Amino acid sequence: MENILHGFAVAFQLMPLMLVIIGVLLGILLGAMPGLTATMGVTLLLPFTLQLNVSPEAGMAMLIGIYIGAIYGGSISAVLICTPGTPAAAATLLDGYPMTKNGEAGRAITLSTCSSFAGGLTSALILMFLSPQLSTFALKFSSPEYFALAVFGLSMIVSISGNNVIKGIVAGIFGLLLATVGLDPIQGVPRFSFDQPELFEGIGFIPALIGLFAISQVLYEMVQPQSGNRPPPSLAFSFTQVKEWFQYKFTWIRSALIGTFIGSLPGAGCDIAAFVSYNEAKRFSKNPEKLGNGAPEGIIAAEAANNGATGGAMIPMLTLGVPGDAVTAVMLGALTVQGLEPGPLLFRDHPETVYPIFASLIIANFVMITGGFFTARMLSRVVLIDKKLLMPIILLLSIVGAYAIRFSMFDVWVAIFMGAVGYVMKIRSFPTSPIVLALILGPMAESNFRRAMLLPDAELSIFFTRPIACTMMILSIITLSAGLWSTFHNPPQKNN
Amino acid sequence: MSQPFISRFYRTDVIISIVLIALAAWVYWYAGFLITENSKPISAHTFPRALAVMLGSSSLLLLLLSFSQHVETPSVSSHRISGLSPNLFVILMLITLVVYTVLLPISGYIITSLIMIVLWLWLLGKRHIGELIGFSVGVVMFVYVLFQSILNVPLP
């Protein structure tokens, strides 16, 4: 307890507090811009924190602020313009954008902000009190468990495909094939790269995301008639919305816990957490058919989980010295530059640094909810802009965002190609989210499957003889079977 | 009444299914070249081949279902934009995006983006010259300052 109080005392000093506030606000702006990710934000600001010549705790406070702000900020553009600002917000748009189209942008933003706060705060508290226990459990995950987790994640294709499960499965397998482009993860053999160096690294995930969601949506919206009977968008904030959010307490608590746990698994980040949590929300929902059409549970589940994963990702970073995701890998570097050695000894040798980091994480979440309500309201006004003016802005940001990831024109071509593919999919009722899910989970599935098969005496049964892997495989089979069963027993009607 | 170009075909899902089956066959064939003398039973070719089989069979299922009532098909827009049918408009927009991407490294971000935004606005029906230029300059400069000056992210 003494360490915790000391942590808050340090974190509330002027410099760390100021830096965490600047970090969160900057992070929200970065996250809301398509193509600018949390990883990029933390990487860009790392040299700045070193130049400031402040204490390691103050420097880390700023980086944590950017991380928390960016993961939340990604949901703003996902909700308002159907373009996830960060990959972590890809699941948020499934219900966030339909809600905006129904004229409830303000409600969607409120649900997203409150859920992000709840997820982030829960994970910060777990990090503070339970990180050693959780990291011990996470260590039990090896390649068979990771493969099973990836399969479990992929099984939710049936959940996010709405009435088009078969088309969703086709889209998901197409996405998995796209994920095999590039050097294979074990032997380094080039696949489908046709001697093009740009393809050795595979299809860029973020350019694909920008193409599938932003460009295709712009093309689709451009050819839609200006709706005369669409309700005017409401940006109003009210405590009724907060009360509504609180009614879904089981959803956000469950999602925050899922997010924290998945975040604590090295290599499984906020994006995977959001999709897994979304699937669980659908499984537990009394009205699962409403998810995907603007249901509050969809936004709450995705946002509580992706922000829950932020604290989760810091658990292996601080306790084991293993980053939970790309952002914490950069933070790991920041700690090392400051002469600190993350790992089990960090808690014993440097409690004066660790506990202020915990405290900054908690403070960052409070800054996020406060700043979020103000900045999101301002950014929400984007939905009031004339569609004919908004579309060119989104196109420009899409092209610039795709380029900014690796400063590569090739990524811009990928975004345009995926935009055309996404448009065709959209007008033929092929869901695009399964492709995104497959691009996230495909490499994880393949590399861990092959690693598992390299284990001594490994056979396919290995995925059913280990308790954790077996549980997830059985859950995957149930999810897939239930989705297919409902498809063939409730076929949709043709419109034309 | 015209429709977006893909939707013009009756049962377009049939065409998409056939294209995907052909893609699956090509992937299966191509993955054969990834097998080397040193390859183990599970190697670089395994996943692509397994996925090719899955894509082929699921596309075949889609093909069969396309003839029944099991696959939802959408309703599509049919109104005209700037005198063009939606299909022509989308193709034109894709062409402008390709031209933009080709010109970006040649004439740079500012000039290319200014021209393209004016063109996109014009295609969307904006005709007021002051609005076209003022809006384009504002957006292009905002993005430039944000990325290049504040975030230090270089633009082409």
Side-chain angles (χ1 to χ4, degrees), chain A residues 129-431:
Chain A
F129 295 106
L130 293 173
S131 48
Q133 293 85 336
L134 207 55
S135 60
T136 308
F137 182 70
L139 276 181
K140 291 182 180 164
F141 270 62
S142 62
S143 34
E145 284 76 21
Y146 276 111
F147 173 73
L149 177 65
V151 172
F152 178 54
L154 287 168
S155 73
M156 69 192 62
I157 282 174
V158 297
S159 305
I160 58 175
S161 298
N163 286 333
N164 298 291
V165 171
I166 300 298
K167 287 185 172 181
I169 290 172
V170 169
I173 297 169
F174 180 68
L176 284 171
L177 263 180
L178 286 179
T180 64
V181 173
L183 299 178
D184 104 89
I186 304 295
Q187 297 164 290
V189 177
R191 298 185 299 196
F192 309 106
S193 53
F194 310 105
D195 296 327
Q196 296 297 312
E198 292 95 342
L199 281 174
F200 286 166
E201 288 182 50
I203 302 280
F205 171 60
I206 294 174
L209 195 70
I210 288 173
L212 279 173
F213 289 115
I215 296 178
S216 72
Q217 185 67 26
V218 167
L219 294 175
Y220 184 76
E221 289 288 338
M222 278 175 169
V223 294
Q224 299 305 308
Q226 293 268 20
S227 176
N229 52 9
R230 184 181 287 185
S234 164
L235 308 180
F237 163 79
S238 71
F239 280 102
T240 320
Q241 293 164 350
V242 180
K243 267 172 72 179
E244 181 199 13
W245 168 79
F246 194 76
Q247 284 171 356
Y248 292 98
K249 50 188 172 296
F250 293 116
T251 306
W252 56 258
I253 291 171
R254 182 181 58 244
S255 304
L257 294 175
I258 290 173
T260 307
F261 175 66
I262 291 182
S264 72
L265 301 174
C270 304
D271 38 14
I272 297 175
F275 274 110
V276 170
S277 172
Y278 185 89
N279 190 47
E280 290 312 297
K282 188 160 190 173
R283 199 201 304 272
F284 280 92
S285 174
K286 288 173 189 162
N287 303 299
E289 73 285 352
K290 288 188 177 169
L291 270 89
N293 297 306
E297 295 124 296
I299 301 173
I300 292 168
E303 280 304 299
N306 65 24
N307 273 73
T310 55
M314 294 181 74
I315 293 173
M317 177 191 87
L318 291 170
T319 57
L320 306 171
V322 178
D325 62 5
V327 182
T328 46
V330 181
M331 287 189 189
L332 194 66
L335 283 171
T336 313
V337 169
Q338 302 278 5
L340 300 164
E341 191 67 42
L345 299 181
L346 185 69
F347 285 78
R348 194 194 66 190
D349 297 344
H350 296 283
E352 76 286 354
T353 302
V354 174
Y355 284 91
I357 289 175
F358 293 162
S360 292
L361 193 59
I362 290 173
I363 294 167
N365 278 290
F366 279 96
V367 176
M368 185 265 288
I369 191 170
T370 316
F373 273 120
F374 286 107
T375 52
R377 296 291 131 190
M378 281 193 310
L379 293 169
S380 297
R381 305 196 76 77
V382 80
V383 293
L384 300 174
I385 299 174
D386 178 2
K387 200 167 86 173
K388 288 177 180 174
L389 296 176
L390 185 61
M391 296 298 132
I393 300 177
I394 300 174
L395 274 184
L396 182 73
L397 282 175
S398 300
I399 300 293
V400 170
Y403 173 81
I405 300 298
R406 295 188 290 192
F407 313 122
S408 158
M409 289 309 295
F410 181 78
D411 284 344
V412 178
W413 288 111
V414 169
I416 294 173
F417 172 74
M418 294 308 287
V421 169
Y423 174 73
V424 174
M425 290 177 73
K426 206 175 274 287
I427 62 170
R428 297 309 306 169
S429 289
F430 278 82

Side-chain angles (χ1 to χ4, degrees), chain B residues 41-116:
Chain B
I42 294 172
S43 189
H45 68 284
T46 313
F47 248 63
R49 278 208 158 164
L51 292 171
V53 171
M54 287 159 72
L55 183 66
S57 34
S58 58
S59 301
L60 189 62
L61 182 61
L62 182 63
L63 181 67
L64 297 174
L65 293 175
S66 298
F67 292 109
S68 69
Q69 296 293 308
H70 279 82
V71 183
E72 187 182 48
T73 51
S75 57
V76 289
S77 163
S78 61
H79 86 295
R80 299 179 80 79
I81 313 110
S82 290
L84 297 169
S85 61
N87 50 347
L88 272 179
F89 189 82
V90 168
I91 291 171
L92 190 61
M93 283 307 298
L94 284 170
I95 291 171
T96 64
L97 283 171
V98 168
V99 171
Y100 183 34
T101 310
V102 169
L103 288 179
L104 256 180
I106 300 167
S107 48
Y109 163 78
I110 293 180
I111 293 172
T112 320
S113 304
L114 277 174
I115 295 168
M116 280 301 154

